[in-house]
Amino acid sequence: MAPMRAEPFNDSSALIDFVINQGNGVKGLSEMGLKALPRQYIQPLEERMCMINITTQESIPIIDISNPNDPEVVKLICEAASKWGFFQIINHDVPIEVLENVKDATYKFFGLSAEVKNKYSKEHSSSNNVRFGTSFTPQAEKALEWKDYLSLFYVSEEEASALWPLACREQVLDYMRKSEVVIKQLLKMLMKGLNANEIDETKESLLMGSMRTNLNYYPKCPNPELTVGVGRHSDVSTLTILLQDEIGGLFVRENNGDNWIHVPPIKGSLVINVGDALQIMSNGKYKSVEHRVVANGYNNRISVPIFINPRPSDMIGPLPELIKDGEKPIYKQVLYSDYVKHFFRKGHDGKKTIAFAEL
């Protein structure tokens, strides 16, 4: 049961118990009608949105991929990956109803009772591959982030059928299946831009050997200017395929600058971003870029990213084709699971994770 009061939790252990241990998440806090943000969520001044420069002069590229074999489309994708690290795709092969269904399923899962959602928490889930949680790494963060999530690591259809929540299982599987065609098209184009044309089984497995889908829920927030939905970070994936709703709130750091650019929601589009693994494998040709999500005082927001990753057991480093002609590697070979553990060991801290792989 929610505490019978509307003021912030002054006692951290009571907040942790309510939000994490009981499975209420920040959704539970939001629904209490708090008039002020609990102090545990107040971000340092330098991390708040009010302290950053937002530019409306630029926007990330929006690319029509209805003809993915068109050399001009390939060029636009590769340029976007190297200059921006982020772009939106339209006229892709994922049907709009699949996207709408997974958004509906996200609301359905987060509409379940805290008791039911809590069955999938770190303490209670029957598998590490299914995880309901809140914030990012609560035990390592100086201030908590205003977000709840369900994380689903795909192993097999059988495991998903047995372990994933019924409220969203089929919709997420369908979204992942239908997205795979687009993912392969994008990776094929990006490899062409590196002159690493052949994607054989080994390379495909390195680029997209594992997949994780997150359902993110950002409830309405008191004092949204004092906190964040997600702090500054780059993803550790090869690529991230993001479905966002119509609310907006994702910001991307401008290339080589201190300005931040809003990524406007476009119905039916998917937002694509380069992850650290692809930056490493491309020897820095493609850039993973910092991004963040603001909290919102008026609307609940959802997003559904698919993280396309190497397998945990893979060694990642610059692709052999890139360094065979004498190009100097700027990254060493690292075990992908070690890289990911390093990312999750700390709070969000911009682009610092990549230093783990630098020579």
Side-chain angles (χ1 to χ4, degrees):
M1 286 293 291
M4 299 300 289
R5 62 182 188 203
E7 74 271 7
F9 292 80
N10 289 317
D11 177 0
S12 274
S13 61
L15 180 115
I16 295 298
D17 187 54
F18 177 74
V19 172
I20 298 177
N21 300 343
Q22 294 176 37
N24 289 290
V26 284
K27 183 173 185 282
L29 290 179
S30 177
E31 290 171 352
M32 287 174 69
L34 297 175
K35 296 290 180 274
L37 187 73
R39 61 177 173 78
Q40 295 86 346
Y41 289 90
I42 296 176
Q43 293 288 327
L45 199 56
E46 65 275 12
E47 297 301 335
R48 297 180 204 167
M49 243 1 231
C50 60
M51 297 303 291
I52 72 167
N53 305 318
I54 296 170
T55 178
T56 52
Q57 310 305 308
E58 298 206 73
S59 63
I60 65 166
I62 298 163
I63 304 171
D64 181 332
I65 65 160
S66 50
N67 185 358
N69 297 316
D70 180 344
E72 188 55 32
V73 174
V74 175
K75 182 169 170 252
L76 288 171
I77 294 284
C78 296
E79 281 176 354
S82 54
K83 183 186 173 188
W84 296 92
F86 260 85
F87 50 95
Q88 297 206 60
I89 56 171
I90 55 173
N91 295 325
H92 51 74
D93 286 337
V94 187
I96 191 92
E97 62 270 21
V98 171
L99 303 180
E100 293 304 316
N101 289 345
V102 84
K103 285 196 278 190
D104 291 345
T106 300
Y107 275 112
K108 192 172 176 190
F109 174 79
F110 286 102
L112 297 171
S113 68
E115 291 76 15
V116 172
K117 287 183 293 198
N118 208 24
K119 289 178 185 167
Y120 302 101
S121 69
K122 185 177 180 180
E123 284 67 32
H124 302 113
S125 181
S126 57
S127 166
N128 275 339
N129 297 332
V130 182
R131 176 72 49 83
F132 167 66
T134 191
S135 192
F136 175 61
T137 311
Q139 66 279 11
E141 292 168 304
K142 295 189 181 81
L144 297 172
E145 299 177 351
W146 194 261
K147 178 188 87 167
D148 297 330
Y149 65 87
L150 175 69
S151 185
L152 301 167
F153 184 82
Y154 180 82
V155 172
S156 66
E157 296 263 339
E158 294 71 33
E159 182 180 286
S161 297
L163 301 179
W164 290 11
L166 186 60
C168 58
R169 177 194 307 153
E170 286 310 317
Q171 295 85 348
V172 173
L173 282 171
D174 199 26
Y175 173 46
M176 291 177 81
R177 282 186 214 109
K178 298 290 195 306
S179 297
E180 198 165 329
V181 178
V182 176
I183 291 158
K184 287 181 176 175
Q185 287 171 346
L186 290 169
L187 288 172
K188 186 178 174 186
M189 291 188 242
L190 289 163
M191 289 302 106
K192 274 187 183 168
L194 298 175
N195 293 318
N197 292 338
E198 280 307 306
I199 300 188
D200 56 16
E201 245 178 79
T202 308
K203 188 173 286 165
E204 183 175 294
S205 152
L206 181 66
L207 293 167
M208 54 179 293
S210 71
M211 289 192 198
R212 179 187 297 279
T213 300
N214 279 13
L215 309 186
N216 294 329
Y217 188 85
Y218 304 91
K220 277 190 294 194
C221 177
N223 313 116
E225 72 285 353
L226 299 180
T227 192
V228 295
V230 178
R232 297 178 300 114
H233 70 289
S234 60
D235 294 345
V236 293
S237 55
T238 302
L239 284 181
T240 302
I241 316 298
L242 176 77
L243 170 64
Q244 58 171 347
D245 67 10
E246 70 287 350
I247 303 300
L250 171 64
F251 286 81
V252 174
R253 189 189 279 279
E254 185 183 31
N255 190 30
N256 298 326
D258 288 328
N259 291 330
W260 291 77
I261 300 163
H262 185 236
V263 179
I266 299 171
K267 192 171 176 62
S269 78
L270 292 167
V271 179
I272 312 296
N273 65 278
V274 172
D276 289 357
L278 185 55
Q279 177 169 325
I280 291 165
M281 288 191 270
S282 71
N283 205 31
K285 299 272 193 320
Y286 298 139
K287 308 282 192 301
S288 68
V289 172
E290 275 183 77
H291 49 287
R292 67 204 305 168
V293 175
V294 298
N296 188 304
Y298 302 101
N299 296 291
N300 301 321
R301 175 182 183 265
I302 57 165
S303 69
V304 188
I306 303 177
F307 301 100
I308 315 302
N309 310 308
R311 291 168 305 183
S313 58
D314 283 329
M315 295 296 292
I316 62 166
L319 293 171
E321 301 96 307
L322 297 181
I323 51 175
K324 73 174 192 309
D325 294 327
E327 183 181 318
K328 198 168 185 289
I330 52 177
Y331 301 105
K332 60 190 175 189
Q333 296 282 328
V334 293
L335 181 66
Y336 186 62
S337 60
D338 286 347
Y339 190 86
V340 173
K341 279 179 198 153
H342 179 65
F343 177 66
F344 282 105
R345 206 175 280 138
K346 54 198 175 43
H348 281 139
D349 57 3
K351 278 276 291 179
K352 289 185 182 171
T353 311
I354 200 89
F356 185 82
E358 286 173 353
L359 281 168

